[in-house]
Amino acid sequence: MDEERTTSTGRSPARTAARARARTRSGPPTGPRSGAARSRANTDRGVVTSEYAVGLIAAVGFAGVLYKVVTSDRVSAALYGLVERALDAAP
């Protein structure tokens, strides 16, 4: 009887060696991220980062304007009056 030896994973040593050689083989990249797709993906990374930066700057600017409006005398008095009326109306 010719039984093929197997490793602890249940694969034959020849098959395991062939897979190891295939993993270390150098050659042109293949698959969905090769060539133009890979270079396009690399340039998109910077665009996404800059979009986050612009969004962050806009959010900080909006927060600054909102802070100035809310802390102004007129708006502060209106908010104080609103809270005062709400507390007086409580049963």
Side-chain angles (χ1 to χ4, degrees):
M1 282 183 145
D2 285 332
E3 287 188 29
E4 190 175 297
R5 289 187 350 217
T6 60
T7 63
S8 62
T9 60
R11 294 189 178 121
S12 70
R15 183 175 176 193
T16 304
R19 283 178 168 241
R21 280 192 306 275
R23 279 195 300 265
T24 60
R25 194 177 298 150
S26 63
T30 59
R33 289 294 230 187
S34 64
R38 180 176 290 152
S39 66
R40 191 171 49 249
N42 288 340
T43 59
D44 286 346
R45 287 184 190 155
V47 173
V48 170
T49 303
S50 65
E51 288 172 356
Y52 282 128
V54 169
L56 181 63
I57 291 169
V60 168
F62 181 72
V65 169
L66 187 61
Y67 176 77
K68 281 294 195 182
V69 168
V70 170
T71 57
S72 69
D73 292 335
R74 185 177 242 178
V75 174
S76 184
L79 288 174
Y80 183 79
L82 181 68
V83 171
E84 187 82 16
R85 281 197 326 258
L87 291 176
D88 287 340

